[in-house]
């Protein structure tokens, strides 16, 4: 596997603009065997604090479990917008994440990130792609994330099915959150993820959505934050993004707990059978 080290994290907005311009004509079944790396990534404590406030974490120097994904998002975007990458980034659907924090991370620690894409796999609604992110402090592996993305298209009904999410917990909601119309723009400001489907209803409709939608990584972080400090590490969480959350809307959090494991779900307040996210947390 070839490793290419970048001098610094690239800017996300130009990459997303390039992805939109070059989306048409991408094809193929081979993912380049390439790892992109960036070293000495520093946490901006002001941006971290803004992220923590928006996602419900206590403001501190301990890095929330989803935050390294936010830091590495430009690197992942750079990998997926290379000319030889076979999938168009616009329209990719984020299906799930599995994240492990091997130990608590402090904002003072410089991080080295690696991102690698796996093979394309058939899916009943198109093709899926795995993307692996790793974070190190010096030579110590401190954090890993495996994401699954769907490229929609001609599917294969006989394709192997991935792991289904667990059943959402029953019972009354433990929290109710009203998500405002501008949540996507607020989260874009603290995360750098300026995908248009999250910012304005007209932009979202151009991408096939009836309204703009909340970032899945915001719903994931907000749910983890509500479960307490367990996810700060060492721990592993797995999240399935099952239905988009249109903005504005109201969602409910339901939680089931067992020794060593917690299951949580976000569901629609108006239509409780509609589940937006299911998450497990083990520590």
């Amino acid at each position: 596997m070839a490793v290419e080290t970048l001098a610094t994290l690239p800017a996300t907005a130009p990459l997303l603009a390039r992805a939109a311009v070059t989306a048409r004509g991408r094809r193929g079944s081979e993912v380049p065997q390439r790892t992109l790396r960036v070293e000495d990534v520093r946490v901006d404590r002001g941006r971290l604090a803004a992220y923590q406030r928006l996602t419900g974490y206590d403001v501190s120097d301990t890095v929330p479990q989803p935050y390294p994904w936010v830091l590495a998002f430009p690197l992942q975007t750079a990998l997926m917008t290379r000319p030889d990458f076979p999938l168009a980034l616009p329209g990719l659907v984020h299906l799930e994440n599995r994240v492990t924090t091997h130990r608590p991370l402090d904002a003072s620690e410089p991080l080295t990130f690696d991102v690698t894409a796996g093979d394309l796999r058939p899916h009943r609604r198109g093709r899926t792609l795995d993307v692996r992110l790793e974070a190190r402090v010096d030579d110590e592996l401190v954090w890993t994330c495996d994401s699954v993305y769907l490229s929609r298209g001609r599917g294969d009904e006989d394709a192997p099915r991935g792991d289904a999410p667990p059943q959402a917990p029953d019972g009354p909601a433990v929290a109710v959150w009203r998500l405002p119309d501008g949540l996507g723009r607020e989260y874009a400001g603290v995360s750098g993820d300026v995908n248009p489907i999250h910012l304005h209803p007209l932009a979202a409709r151009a991408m096939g959505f009836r309204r703009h939608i909340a970032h899945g990584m915001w719903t994931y972080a907000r749910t983890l934050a509500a479960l307490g400090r367990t996810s700060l590490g060492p721990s592993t969480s797995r999240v399935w993004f099952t239905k988009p959350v249109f903005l504005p809307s109201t969602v409910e959090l339901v939680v089931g707990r067992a020794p060593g494991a917690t299951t949580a779900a976000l569901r629609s307040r108006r239509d409780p059978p509609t589940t937006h996210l299911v998450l497990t947390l083990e520590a």
Side-chain angles (χ1 to χ4, degrees), residues 16 19 26 33-34 49 71 84 89 107 162 164 166 195 197 235 266 270 272:
L16 292 176
R26 288 185 181 264
Q33 297 297 297
R34 175 188 298 130
L71 291 175
D84 56 357
L89 185 59
N195 189 326
I197 65 173
S235 64
L266 281 186
R270 177 180 295 179

Side-chain angles (χ1 to χ4, degrees), residues 254-265:
V254 287
V255 177
R257 298 186 185 272
T262 299
T263 302

Side-chain angles (χ1 to χ4, degrees), residues 130-161:
D130 297 334
V131 177
R132 171 84 168 184
L133 283 166
E134 297 180 348
R136 288 176 170 78
V137 174
D138 296 324
D139 293 328
E140 179 190 7
L141 183 66
V142 294
W143 179 93
T144 59
C145 173
D146 293 292
S147 300
V148 181
Y149 297 93
L150 170 68
S151 176
R152 291 173 293 186
R154 179 178 296 176
D156 180 355
E157 286 296 329
D158 295 326
R161 302 296 177 98

Side-chain angles (χ1 to χ4, degrees), residues 23-272:
R24 296 186 66 180
R26 288 185 181 264
R27 58 178 60 88
S29 58
E30 297 295 327
V31 176
Q33 297 297 297
R34 175 188 298 130
T35 295
L36 292 188
R37 174 176 295 167
V38 65
E39 300 172 343
D40 198 32
V41 176
R42 304 279 176 160
V43 175
D44 181 313
R45 284 182 167 83
R47 288 189 64 185
L48 173 62
Y51 173 91
Q52 289 167 325
R53 293 187 187 99
L54 187 61
T55 55
Y57 283 93
D58 293 334
V59 174
S60 74
D61 279 350
T62 303
V63 177
Q65 189 172 83
Y67 196 65
W69 191 97
V70 172
L71 291 175
F73 179 68
L75 189 67
Q76 177 177 265
T77 305
L79 179 75
M80 299 169 74
T81 53
R82 289 291 176 92
D84 56 357
F85 201 78
L87 301 181
L89 185 59
L92 281 186
V93 179
H94 196 171
L95 295 182
E96 63 180 88
N97 272 2
R98 180 183 177 90
V99 184
T100 297
T101 301
H102 296 283
R103 65 162 175 80
L105 304 181
D106 190 272
S108 65
E109 297 179 295
L111 298 169
T112 293
F113 284 109
D114 286 347
V115 58
T116 309
D119 295 330
L120 293 173
R121 292 178 288 137
H123 187 274
R124 59 187 176 86
R125 291 188 289 154
R127 297 183 294 177
T128 59
L129 174 76
D130 297 334
V131 177
R132 171 84 168 184
L133 283 166
E134 297 180 348
R136 288 176 170 78
V137 174
D138 296 324
D139 293 328
E140 179 190 7
L141 183 66
V142 294
W143 179 93
T144 59
C145 173
D146 293 292
S147 300
V148 181
Y149 297 93
L150 170 68
S151 176
R152 291 173 293 186
R154 179 178 296 176
D156 180 355
E157 286 296 329
D158 295 326
R161 302 296 177 98
D163 293 341
Q167 185 72 30
D170 293 324
V174 299
V176 177
W177 300 324
R178 173 67 179 170
L179 310 188
D181 179 84
L183 176 62
R185 294 184 289 276
E186 287 188 77
Y187 185 77
V190 302
S191 69
D193 184 351
V194 292
N195 189 326
I197 65 173
H198 305 300
L199 306 182
H200 193 275
L202 291 179
R205 281 199 286 272
M207 300 297 294
F209 295 91
R210 68 174 185 267
R211 295 202 312 275
H212 55 312
I213 63 176
H215 290 76
M217 291 302 290
W218 180 88
T219 63
Y220 172 38
R222 186 66 186 91
T223 301
L224 276 181
L227 299 181
R229 296 183 58 83
T230 301
S231 67
L232 297 178
S235 64
T236 295
S237 63
R238 188 170 182 183
V239 60
W240 291 261
F241 302 107
T242 52
K243 294 284 186 181
V245 181
F246 292 100
L247 297 174
S249 63
T250 302
V251 295
E252 299 180 337
L253 174 67
V254 287
V255 177
R257 298 186 185 272
T262 299
T263 302
L266 281 186
R267 67 190 185 195
S268 168
R269 178 74 163 176
R270 177 180 295 179
D271 181 26

